[in-house]
């Protein structure tokens, strides 16, 4: 949801925003949404590889249009940030899961998962309210655009 809001805001400010969507999730006939250009890419549904393959394909497609910034969202796809950088793209990565490795290893400790979840929620509510989060995102994007 925050990406939709952020991209829409950028489009309203005159920025050219293109989102590479996955055909199984977004109607490929939809080419524009609230000023955002949508490019449907094929995506093989796979629990473990879909996001990585889609991200790799989207990076290659992005390279062809020479964007100012490529935004990679989530921890798995962010592995490909270095690939995008190697292609000469400016990359911004966002990830919203604190202590990812700890959470993965806690599958057998439900009480600890609950405690960490409550702590993470408290941290997010205190440090990442929508206005502050938006302001921080704008700083990152404006900094990337300046370089």
């Amino acid at each position: 949801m925050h990406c939709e809001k952020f991209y829409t805001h950028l489009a309203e400010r005159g920025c050219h925003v293109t989102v590479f969507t996955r055909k199984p999730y977004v109607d490929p006939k939809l080419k524009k949404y609230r000023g955002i250009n949508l490019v449907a890419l094929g995506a093989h549904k796979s629990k473990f590889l879909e996001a990585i393959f889609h991200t790799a394909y989207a990076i290659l497609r992005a390279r062809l249009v020479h964007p100012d910034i490529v935004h990679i969202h989530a921890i798995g796809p962010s592995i490909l940030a270095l690939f995008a950088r190697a292609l000469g793209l400016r990359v911004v990565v966002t990830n919203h899961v604190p202590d990812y490795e700890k959470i993965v290893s806690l599958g057998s400790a439900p009480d600890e998962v609950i405690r960490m979840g409550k702590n993470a929620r408290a941290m997010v509510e205190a440090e990442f309210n929508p206005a502050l989060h938006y302001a921080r995102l704008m700083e990152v994007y404006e900094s990337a655009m300046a370089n």
Side-chain angles (χ1 to χ4, degrees):
M1 179 71 135
H2 70 280
C3 289
E4 175 185 348
K5 182 177 179 182
F6 184 63
Y7 298 158
T8 301
H9 179 76
L10 288 174
E12 289 169 354
R13 293 177 95 190
C15 295
H16 177 87
V17 179
T18 299
V19 173
F20 294 102
T21 65
R22 295 186 227 174
K23 286 182 183 178
Y25 307 103
V26 177
D27 183 355
K29 294 177 194 156
L30 187 62
K31 303 294 182 196
K32 206 134 178 104
Y33 174 77
R34 297 179 64 196
I36 301 166
N37 299 301
L38 304 176
V39 176
L41 300 179
H44 176 73
K45 283 192 150 195
S46 165
K47 182 176 181 178
F48 300 106
L49 299 175
E50 180 178 351
I52 293 294
F53 284 139
H54 171 75
T55 302
Y57 187 30
I59 288 169
L60 292 171
R61 289 287 302 268
R63 178 68 175 105
L64 297 175
V65 297
H66 308 286
D68 292 321
I69 298 172
V70 171
H71 176 221
I72 299 176
H73 191 255
I75 198 160
S78 69
I79 292 168
L80 294 173
L82 291 176
F83 171 59
R85 297 273 305 170
L87 293 176
L89 299 169
R90 290 187 220 172
V91 179
V92 175
V93 174
T94 55
N95 176 39
H96 306 286
V97 181
D99 295 323
Y100 179 76
E101 295 81 10
K102 292 178 185 175
I103 292 170
V104 169
S105 67
L106 292 173
S108 62
D111 291 340
E112 189 65 12
V113 171
I114 291 169
R115 185 188 67 74
M116 287 180 68
K118 287 179 180 178
N119 288 344
R121 180 180 179 141
M123 180 192 77
V124 167
E125 288 174 347
E127 297 180 27
F128 298 100
N129 63 65
L132 183 58
H133 181 68
Y134 180 78
R136 288 177 179 163
L137 278 174
M138 286 303 296
E139 287 175 16
V140 169
Y141 279 91
E142 287 171 2
S143 173
M145 292 296 293
N147 293 325

